[in-house]
């Protein structure tokens, strides 16, 4: 949020200032990307267990 | 956010896209039919697939279809803007920048192929990659704007999903998978031309050489009947050749005859009545594909064909 406040204090010439609606949509997009990445990590975990099972622990030490 | 902007103005344009716009970019209704046919290919294939691996395969195929749709909308934004049916899509409506759609499509497409290859098998992954390539490059970028046979050849892209599902389950492709491919391949022209009959003005305005625009509605109606008649034996072929049971055979023959009847009505009528008949055929054609594949699914799950353990 700090970055947003800093941006708000700048003059419009200094860069892009997002509207509230744009911020809301960016947050929704970020959330969707986060959920998708989390689901992907979970998928890789579950498939690893399914494919290797106890074999996950079977590694040279 | 824009990756391919050519003007500085676009470079400082913040994204206005909502999550729902990205969902729309993946053509969820087309995706649902892809998911369903791919699932049937996976289920009727011989052998046992672990549910988690099967789920992963379907997920990757669905995401691959979404990527194809996004790349299609990225390439076609100019003509989509000219047609009433497509003018409200995210890019022509200005809710998503072209660069965003391109990045989205490339990321999803690459991800779907790599994940399918790593977690399921590389035959299925290669088929998925080829399908995306075929839909985006061969159909969208090349055939769509150059020939009235665009959707006939391009229909192959929509016919691949059950074959990818089959490959995900078996690691190879066989005659049965090829028959499922053929059913959708022959089904696509009457399905799409029925739609194009009552959207001909749109396609003409956008300069897309759909059959009714180039050869006229009379020739289109004739071709619809020809392909519908051809679809009857092709639809029944999995049963005729002994790969599917009698339930599927009965469903395929009944639905196939209805399809021919509806196509014949399109052939015999012009004006408002003809448009109505074309809309009926278009709606029924979707039902046709759903019931045929549902019959295969029921037989596959029930073990009628003697492959799946009950």
């Amino acid at each position: 949020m700090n970055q947003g406040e800093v941006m708000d204090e700048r003059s419009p010439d200094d860069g892009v200032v997002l509207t509230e609606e744009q911020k809301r949509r960016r947050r929704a997009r970020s959330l969707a990307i986060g959920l998708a990445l989390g689901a992907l990590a979970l998928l890789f975990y579950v498939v690893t267990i399914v494919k290797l099972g106890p074999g996950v622990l079977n590694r040279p030490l | 956010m824009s990756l391919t902007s050519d003007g500085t103005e676009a470079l400082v344009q913040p994204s206005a896209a909502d999550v729902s716009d990205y969902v729309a970019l993946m053509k969820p209704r087309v995706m649902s039919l892809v998911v369903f046919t791919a699932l049937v290919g996976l289920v009727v294939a011989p052998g046992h697939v672990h549910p988690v691996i099967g789920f992963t395969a379907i997920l990757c195929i669905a995401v691959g279809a979404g990527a194809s749709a996004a790349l299609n909308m990225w390439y076609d934004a100019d003509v989509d803007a000219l047609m009433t049916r497509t003018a409200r899509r995210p890019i022509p409506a200005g809710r998503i920048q072209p660069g965003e759609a391109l990045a989205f499509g490339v990321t999803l497409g690459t991800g779907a192929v790599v994940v399918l290859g790593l977690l399921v098998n590389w035959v299925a992954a290669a088929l998925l990659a080829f399908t995306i390539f075929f839909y985006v490059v061969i159909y969208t970028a090349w055939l769509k704007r150059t020939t009235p046979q665009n959707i006939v050849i391009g229909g192959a892209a929509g016919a691949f999903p059950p074959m990818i599902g089959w490959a995900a389950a078996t690691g190879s492709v066989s005659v049965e998978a090829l028959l499922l491919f053929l059913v959708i391949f022959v089904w696509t022209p009457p399905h799409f031309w029925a739609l194009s009959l009552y959207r001909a003005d749109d396609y003409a305005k956008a300069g897309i050489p759909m059959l009714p625009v180039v050869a006229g509605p009379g020739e289109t109606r004739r071709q619809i009947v020809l392909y519908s008649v051809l679809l009857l034996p092709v639809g029944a072929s999995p049963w005729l050749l002994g790969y599917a049971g009698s339930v599927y055979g009965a469903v395929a023959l009944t639905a196939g005859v209805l399809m021919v009847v509806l196509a014949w009505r399109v052939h015999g009528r012009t004006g408002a009545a003809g448009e109505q008949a074309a809309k009926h055929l278009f709606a029924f054609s979707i039902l046709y594909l759903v019931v045929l594949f549902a019959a295969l699914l029921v037989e596959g799950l029930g073990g009628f064909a003697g492959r799946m353990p009950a």
Side-chain angles (χ1 to χ4, degrees):
Chain A
M1 288 307 288
N2 280 338
Q3 202 183 355
E5 284 163 17
V6 171
M7 282 180 74
D8 287 345
E9 288 165 11
R10 291 177 182 170
S11 71
D13 294 341
D14 287 342
V16 177
V17 179
L18 299 182
T19 63
E20 282 308 311
E21 180 63 12
Q22 283 167 337
K23 282 182 187 168
R24 187 190 68 74
R25 291 183 174 192
R26 181 176 64 182
R27 186 169 167 72
R29 291 198 305 272
S30 303
L31 208 63
I33 295 171
L35 287 174
L37 286 176
L40 200 59
L42 186 68
L43 180 72
F44 270 79
Y45 174 77
V46 173
V47 171
T48 304
I49 298 300
V50 166
K51 284 198 156 188
L52 300 180
V56 171
L57 299 173
N58 186 9
R59 60 199 173 107
L61 289 171
Chain B
M1 288 301 290
S2 185
L3 292 178
T4 59
S5 49
D6 40 15
T8 46
E9 195 181 308
L11 275 174
V12 294
Q13 196 76 43
S15 174
D18 211 343
V19 173
S20 62
D21 295 322
Y22 277 98
V23 173
L25 211 54
M26 295 192 283
K27 296 190 189 170
R29 278 187 304 167
V30 174
M31 192 199 273
S32 63
L33 208 53
V34 167
V35 164
F36 181 60
T37 56
L39 176 71
V40 173
L42 188 100
V43 168
V44 301
H48 176 74
V49 183
H50 192 286
V52 170
I53 302 297
F55 168 80
T56 307
I58 299 297
L59 179 73
C60 289
I61 296 169
V63 172
S68 306
L71 292 170
N72 166 274
M73 287 199 210
W74 164 73
Y75 190 87
D76 269 350
D78 57 338
V79 287
D80 280 351
L82 299 174
M83 299 194 289
T84 26
R85 183 173 72 96
T86 52
R88 292 173 57 83
R89 284 178 174 175
I91 304 176
R95 297 194 302 274
I96 287 190
Q97 304 286 323
E100 289 181 287
L102 177 64
F104 185 63
V106 169
T107 306
L108 285 192
T110 311
V113 170
V114 170
V115 171
L116 187 61
L118 288 173
L119 301 190
V120 183
N121 68 60
W122 287 101
V123 174
L127 276 173
L128 181 64
F130 182 73
T131 305
I132 298 172
F133 163 80
F134 197 90
Y135 184 69
V136 175
V137 178
I138 305 291
Y139 169 69
T140 304
W142 179 26
L143 299 173
K144 184 172 178 180
R145 302 181 192 210
T146 51
T147 164
Q149 295 300 314
N150 48 13
I151 54 113
V152 179
I153 305 163
F160 272 117
M163 196 185 261
I164 306 173
W166 183 283
T170 64
S172 66
V173 174
S174 67
V175 181
E176 296 101 304
L178 203 65
L179 291 179
L180 297 184
F181 173 91
L182 273 180
V183 172
I184 303 181
F185 186 69
V186 176
W187 164 88
T188 307
H191 164 76
F192 232 105
W193 282 334
L195 171 84
S196 72
L197 267 180
Y198 57 88
R199 297 285 188 192
D201 293 346
D202 249 10
Y203 285 115
K205 202 164 62 181
I208 295 172
M210 290 299 280
L211 197 60
V213 178
V214 177
E219 176 62 15
T220 308
R221 293 193 179 95
R222 205 176 67 84
Q223 297 271 350
I224 285 175
V225 172
L226 285 177
Y227 274 95
S228 299
V229 170
L230 181 64
L231 183 60
L232 183 58
V234 170
S237 64
W239 168 68
L240 292 172
L241 297 175
Y243 296 119
S246 50
V247 173
Y248 175 81
V251 168
L253 287 177
T254 311
V257 168
L258 280 171
M259 186 92 180
V260 172
V261 169
L262 288 174
W264 188 252
R265 284 190 185 164
V266 172
H267 186 259
R269 294 173 193 181
T270 51
E275 186 169 305
Q276 199 60 35
K279 282 179 180 170
H280 281 155
L281 178 64
F282 179 74
F284 179 78
S285 65
I286 298 171
L287 185 68
Y288 173 93
L289 205 62
V290 171
V291 294
L292 256 71
F293 276 78
L296 281 175
L297 189 66
V298 168
E299 286 191 344
L301 291 173
F304 285 113
R307 292 196 206 94
M308 294 286 293

